[in-house]
């Protein structure tokens, strides 16, 4: 969906449909993330039950997924809008704060993978929150999105994104190993 957003954003800006495109991408990203969270919860639950794993590890992975999806979507849209300075500042802040909080949590609670993931998630959540508070006055209201335009854009995003989904899944799967 991010690739579709980057591709469709210039047209959306020219046609005064930026708000609606952002709404569509947010809805689709949330749905996809919800499916991924469900899979993490089921897989983590089964693994923890059968292998005495740490459920906290899977909870931290889920939290990290949620904040990372939000950050990546917003950063890529900033880049597509040619607002690289703002995107770079956001990514740099996140890149600096992630290891700092992860190391801090490990020093505090011991060498546990769940603490490292939690540190990453808390860092991203902190940077995302700061950015949202700074941009609060610049954001249009959700109610201003035109429903007919949202429906049309949702179809456009799916048409663009559908052929890319197998490639993204294979890329993700290959990165696991």
């Amino acid at each position: 969906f991010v690739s579709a957003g980057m591709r469709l954003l210039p047209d959306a800006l020219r046609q005064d449909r930026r708000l609606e495109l952002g709404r569509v991408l947010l809805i689709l990203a949330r749905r996809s993330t919800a499916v991924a969270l469900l899979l993490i919860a089921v897989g983590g639950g089964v693994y923890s039950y059968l292998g005495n794993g740490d459920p906290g590890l899977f909870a931290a992975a889920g939290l990290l997924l949620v904040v990372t999806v939000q950050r990546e979507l917003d950063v890529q849209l900033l880049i597509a809008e040619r607002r690289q300075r703002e995107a770079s500042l956001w990514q740099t802040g996140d890149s600096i704060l992630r290891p700092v909080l992860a190391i801090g949590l490990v020093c505090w609670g011991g060498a546990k993978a769940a603490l490292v993931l939690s540190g990453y998630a808390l860092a991203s959540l902190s940077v995302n929150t700061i950015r949202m508070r700074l941009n609060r006055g610049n954001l249009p209201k959700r109610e201003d999105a035109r429903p007919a335009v949202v429906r049309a854009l949702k179809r456009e995003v799916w048409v663009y994104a559908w052929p890319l989904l197998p490639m993204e899944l294979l890329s993700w799967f290959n990165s696991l190993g």
Side-chain angles (χ1 to χ4, degrees):
F1 301 119
V2 173
S3 296
M6 290 184 72
R7 162 59 189 90
L8 297 173
L9 186 62
D11 294 336
L13 289 170
R14 280 192 295 278
Q15 298 167 3
D16 193 32
R17 302 187 316 172
R18 167 62 175 93
L19 173 64
E20 289 82 5
L21 179 61
R23 182 94 175 117
V24 166
L25 294 172
L26 184 61
I27 289 168
L28 293 174
R30 283 182 178 169
R31 286 181 185 166
S32 300
T33 304
V35 170
L37 286 173
L38 178 65
L39 292 172
I40 288 172
V42 169
V46 169
Y47 180 77
S48 296
Y49 178 75
L50 295 176
N52 295 324
D54 178 15
L57 178 63
F58 296 98
L63 178 61
L64 180 59
L65 173 70
V66 170
V67 295
T68 300
V69 165
Q70 179 66 50
R71 184 200 61 192
E72 284 303 314
L73 177 62
D74 289 345
V75 164
Q76 295 306 318
L77 290 177
L78 285 173
I79 291 169
E81 287 181 277
R82 299 183 185 275
R83 294 167 57 189
Q84 284 86 353
R85 184 173 294 141
E86 192 175 342
S88 177
L89 183 61
W90 192 354
Q91 286 181 309
T92 301
D94 193 67
S95 296
I96 291 170
L97 200 53
R98 275 183 170 204
V100 168
L101 285 179
I103 291 168
L105 285 176
V106 166
C107 288
W108 171 74
K112 298 177 186 165
L115 290 177
V116 173
L117 293 178
S118 296
Y120 279 20
L122 289 172
S124 289
L125 184 63
S126 300
V127 174
N128 290 359
T129 302
I130 291 168
R131 183 181 179 279
M132 287 176 63
R133 290 200 184 267
L134 291 174
N135 282 344
R136 192 174 22 190
N138 300 336
L139 298 175
K141 295 182 179 109
R142 271 193 278 179
E143 299 83 38
D144 293 341
R146 299 165 290 191
V149 175
V150 168
R151 282 190 298 278
L153 279 170
K154 191 179 287 186
R155 189 183 61 71
E156 284 184 54
V157 167
W158 271 112
V159 165
Y160 186 87
W162 186 252
L164 299 175
L165 291 176
M167 178 189 69
E168 291 298 326
L169 288 172
L170 285 173
S171 174
W172 172 79
F173 185 73
N174 285 335
S175 72
L176 294 177

